[in-house]
Amino acid sequence: MVQCCFSFFKSLIEDPFRDSRMRALLLGLTALLSLAAAAPVYTWATFNGMQYTFVRKRGSFAESEAECVSLGGHLASVHSAAENSFVTSLLPDSNTRVWLGLFSPSSSSNSFQYTDGTAITINIQTFMGPAPNGRDTWGKPLGCVAIVASDKVQRGVWNRFECDRSLPSLCKRAPPTTTTTTTRTTTRTTTTTTT
């Protein structure tokens, strides 16, 4: 739809019979529509009072965490089997893996932490696929965790990957708070009578 409107406004701008005010208005609207077309739209789903969104933009673990922080959250932390099922339901049925917020500060260890600082409250090995010694078959460190978004058998399983791999991500945040401001206005009327 945005592309359709963009083409319409562009055709009006190029019409030499339009007056300059109309042309300026249409130029402004065209600029706004092109900005709207470029900005990604995120749909947030709620589970246990937290919001989650799938981010298609691919990035390294660090880049994906920065993107989630810019949206007011962090890469997703998962604290139960029910939450894992929920986040898995948000993922596309494509052949990909998606960054979660779990990483190992020391790639050679099996010690993990979440980017949002929350405690690990589940046995993560329940969801984790094999990664002997935290390294791949070529010895490259596998310090960051992604969830499998494809494969009916392994969908929802977590795997360790090298942190510089470019993957989409799953962000989690607390719902934005709304502030209501009430302003009271008083008016004083003074009447002066002269005789």
Side-chain angles (χ1 to χ4, degrees):
M1 179 180 152
V2 170
Q3 187 62 36
C4 166
C5 294
F6 182 78
S7 299
F8 172 72
F9 286 129
K10 188 174 180 195
S11 70
L12 289 176
I13 292 168
E14 293 169 351
D15 183 351
F17 301 107
R18 298 277 174 200
D19 70 13
S20 62
R21 287 177 294 159
M22 176 63 90
R23 185 180 173 123
L25 173 66
L26 293 173
L27 279 170
L29 287 172
T30 303
L32 285 173
L33 284 172
S34 54
L35 283 174
V41 176
Y42 297 104
T43 303
W44 294 87
T46 303
F47 178 82
N48 281 350
M50 298 299 285
Q51 294 182 331
Y52 302 77
T53 193
F54 172 72
V55 177
R56 290 190 186 285
K57 179 181 173 186
R58 292 176 166 268
S60 68
F61 185 84
E63 291 165 343
S64 295
E65 170 65 6
E67 179 73 14
C68 290
V69 167
S70 78
L71 297 174
H74 290 278
L75 284 168
S77 55
V78 177
H79 299 281
S80 69
E83 188 175 17
N84 194 62
S85 293
F86 174 77
V87 298
T88 301
S89 74
L90 300 176
L91 305 177
D93 285 328
S94 61
N95 187 22
T96 192
R97 276 73 175 136
V98 177
W99 287 128
L100 292 176
L102 190 64
F103 71 103
S104 176
S106 170
S107 298
S108 62
S109 77
N110 282 323
S111 168
F112 291 92
Q113 63 188 52
Y114 283 120
T115 58
D116 64 7
T118 57
I120 296 172
T121 56
I122 57 171
N123 179 358
I124 60 174
Q125 297 307 322
T126 303
F127 304 110
M128 197 75 77
N133 301 322
R135 296 188 176 276
D136 66 12
T137 53
W138 298 277
K140 192 167 184 178
L142 304 173
C144 298
V145 176
I147 189 170
V148 177
S150 61
D151 188 343
K152 300 289 184 221
V153 176
Q154 290 200 349
R155 188 170 169 82
V157 171
W158 302 357
N159 291 120
R160 293 174 74 164
F161 290 100
E162 57 277 3
C163 297
D164 59 356
R165 183 176 278 204
S166 186
L167 299 175
S169 56
L170 188 67
C171 299
K172 178 180 179 179
R173 71 179 185 190
T177 56
T178 53
T179 305
T180 305
T181 305
T182 306
T183 305
R184 192 171 79 180
T185 306
T186 54
T187 307
R188 176 186 271 178
T189 306
T190 307
T191 307
T192 306
T193 309
T194 57
T195 52

